[in-house]
Each structure stands twice: as C-alpha cells, then as structure tokens.
Amino acid sequence: MLIFAPFFHRDERNLDFAHSFSPEIWEEPRTRDQWPLMPFSAGTAICPGRHLVLLLTSNFLAEIIRAKDVTLTSHSLEPGSMPGLLNNFTLEFELTSPA
Ligand code: HEM
C-alpha cells in the first residue's frame, strides 16, 4: 500500500496554506484533530531518523542564515506558483553577505 503524502499536504479543501510557503505551521505541534501532515510518516512505520534529521538540518540552516542572506533563485514560493511536486535537487540559492 502506498500513501501519497502530497495528497494530504497539498489538499486545499482541508488546508488554507496548501499552496503557500508557510513554515510557521511547524512552530506548534499539530494535534490529532488537524488534517495530517506526515513528512516522516506516522504510526509504527514512522521514520526513526526524524529527530536526527530535524536536529542536523535546523542547525545547518541556522548557521547558514546567521552568516548569509539566502535567496531562492530557481523557483517561486509565491502562493499559486508553487509546483505540485518538487525535485529537491533542482533547487538553487544565491548566498550574499549581509550589508
Ligand atoms: C529528510 C530526511 C528524511 C525523511 C523525509 C524521511 C522520511 C521517512 C519516511 C516517510 C519513512 C516511512 C516510510 C514508510 O512509511 O514506509 C521513513 C522510514 C525510515 N527512515 Fe527516514 N527519512 C529521512 C531521513 C532518515 C535518516 C537520516 C535515517 C537514519 C539515520 C532514516 C531512517 C529510516 C528508517 C530505518 C526507516 C524505516 C523504518 C521502519 O520501516 O520501521 N531516515 N523515513
């Protein structure tokens, strides 16, 4: 059985941020009453590496953002223009030193 995560993550019938860049939704834990988002799956198959991933990536990104201004140059994150699916390997960023 395959659970297609974008079916849940980009469902505008249940999520008002389905097609917008909304990192603030992760500031509070989601409750069981909310529409599910499951980047690391859930239940018995949940990714055992999730805490390692979140620790490493958040620290990695924090270090970059602390030192540089980062601009996404390859895609638009404007509402309505986000692609339905995204090949992470096509992302390109420009890093500049803060003024
Ligand atoms: C962005 C990084 C990652 C994402 C998005 C991710 C996502 C997932 C997802 C969705 C599953 C469940 C697949 C399913 O339902 O069958 C899974 C399983 C798993 N992940 Fe990750 N993962 C990531 C990184 C890692 C890392 C770094 C490790 C190890 C250090 C890891 C180890 C595993 C293992 C061992 C399973 C299988 C768990 C099982 O079947 O009991 N993952 N991951």
Side-chain angles (χ1 to χ4, degrees):
M1 187 178 82
L2 176 96
I3 298 177
F4 188 56
F7 174 79
F8 293 96
H9 297 178
R10 301 298 293 274
D11 185 348
E12 69 266 5
R13 294 168 305 174
N14 290 291
L15 298 170
D16 54 9
F17 54 82
H19 305 303
S20 62
F21 178 59
S22 307
E24 68 280 1
I25 66 160
W26 301 106
E27 289 173 358
E28 300 291 334
R30 294 184 68 76
T31 68
R32 285 181 172 272
D33 298 333
Q34 292 175 305
W35 189 250
L37 300 176
M38 29 184 209
F40 295 104
S41 194
T44 52
I46 195 167
C47 174
R50 65 193 181 284
H51 297 303
L52 178 66
V53 170
L54 294 173
L55 180 69
L56 283 177
T57 53
S58 56
N59 278 285
F60 173 70
L61 292 173
E63 278 303 301
I64 294 176
I65 290 169
R66 194 174 56 79
K68 298 286 181 184
D69 290 334
V70 181
T71 308
L72 176 65
T73 56
S74 56
H75 294 75
S76 169
L77 295 180
E78 294 300 314
S81 64
M82 283 178 61
L85 293 173
L86 180 65
N87 177 357
N88 300 331
F89 296 104
T90 63
L91 290 171
E92 292 177 14
F93 300 89
E94 183 180 272
L95 272 61
T96 52
S97 296

